[in-house]
Amino acid sequence: MISSFKPVARTLMGPGPSDVNPRILEALGRTTIGHLDPQFIEMMDQIKQLLQYAFQTKNELTLPVSAPGSAGMEACFVNLLEPGDKAIVCINGVFGNRMVENVTRCGATAVTVEDDWGKPVDPAKVEAALVANPDAKVLCFVHAETSTGARSDAQALASLAQKHDCLTIVDTVTSLGGVELKVDEWGLDAVYSGTQKCLSCTPGLS
Ligand SMILES: Cc1ncc(COP(=O)(O)O)c(C=O)c1O
């Protein structure tokens, strides 16, 4: 016998998914409109502007992807890496390893810079990897490692990448809206996040 799903109210205390804000739950009960409706286009424009504010960027390619954070991750990697490219990937927890998987699936080579779980990415090790790999195209790191709560210094890492003529791919799934993140001021290149952590929105959007 199938019955209607009635979840019990729980307080989510992990690093995400977080409790969804009541304003968002209320909005989910509103009517649906078509994707070509002028009101939909207006809403999309507004969402892009608000996302630019959240990410502190003026980049016009600031957009929601209707799929989870992993799709935002994949979008960044497949658009920046080609077979034969080299990427430096910082690993200090679960999601750095996920980045390596994306690099290899693009047919590129991952040079890994490893730090202990629970520790931030060490800029000195990153600089050594950049010096040793002048052909690296992208430096990839997780701003806040969800698996341990360690926050890395995104500004320092981005400035090292710039010094060595490297682009950056930055995972801000757990940091956006929770800690300082200044995409333009810090010069981050490709940045993705998710809705289900510090934004207190539903899961499923990147
Ligand atoms: C740092 C980080 N990156 C990527 C992801 C993947 O996001 P999603 O589960 O929405 O696909 C997560 C999810 O917890 C995450 O914490």
Side-chain angles (χ1 to χ4, degrees):
M1 163 105 167
I2 297 175
S3 60
S4 147
F5 178 59
K6 293 198 180 70
V8 294
R10 299 198 201 283
T11 300
L12 301 175
M13 302 291 284
S18 312
D19 285 338
V20 174
N21 189 289
R23 280 178 60 213
I24 293 164
L25 293 176
E26 183 268 321
L28 287 171
R30 293 184 204 157
T31 194
T32 308
I33 53 174
H35 64 291
L36 298 178
D37 191 305
Q39 220 191 344
F40 179 83
I41 311 281
E42 207 179 296
M43 179 199 63
M44 276 296 285
D45 285 343
Q46 242 181 43
I47 287 177
K48 284 190 196 163
Q49 274 174 18
L50 292 168
L51 282 175
Q52 286 177 340
Y53 173 70
F55 282 99
Q56 291 289 287
T57 181
K58 295 201 173 351
N59 193 321
E60 287 187 12
L61 273 178
T62 306
L63 62 144
V65 175
S66 33
S70 306
M73 182 188 275
E74 190 175 333
C76 290
F77 282 90
V78 299
N79 278 289
L80 289 186
L81 287 176
E82 293 180 325
D85 282 343
K86 191 188 264 190
I88 297 176
V89 185
C90 306
I91 304 177
N92 62 335
V94 168
F95 292 98
N97 282 312
R98 194 79 73 77
M99 285 179 144
V100 172
E101 209 176 309
N102 272 271
V103 171
T104 50
R105 285 186 184 197
C106 288
T109 305
V111 173
T112 59
V113 174
E114 302 204 22
D115 281 290
D116 289 342
W117 284 37
K119 300 268 185 246
V121 172
D122 180 350
K125 286 190 196 167
V126 170
E127 175 131 55
L130 286 161
V131 170
N133 297 279
D135 53 339
K137 190 174 168 190
V138 190
L139 171 69
C140 321
F141 59 89
V142 180
H143 188 198
E145 242 307 337
T146 320
S147 51
T148 63
R151 168 169 41 155
S152 294
D153 186 340
Q155 186 175 15
L157 296 173
S159 97
L160 286 174
Q162 284 149 23
K163 187 172 146 199
H164 293 273
D165 203 18
C166 220
L167 294 170
T168 43
I169 294 181
V170 188
D171 180 316
T172 67
V173 171
T174 294
S175 60
L176 178 71
V179 293
E180 189 175 61
L181 171 63
K182 297 192 168 174
V183 169
D184 285 359
E185 195 181 310
W186 298 349
L188 311 179
D189 293 300
V191 182
Y192 58 89
S193 191
T195 43
Q196 77 274 33
K197 309 256 181 198
C198 297
L199 297 183
S200 287
C201 188
T202 47
L205 276 174
S206 184

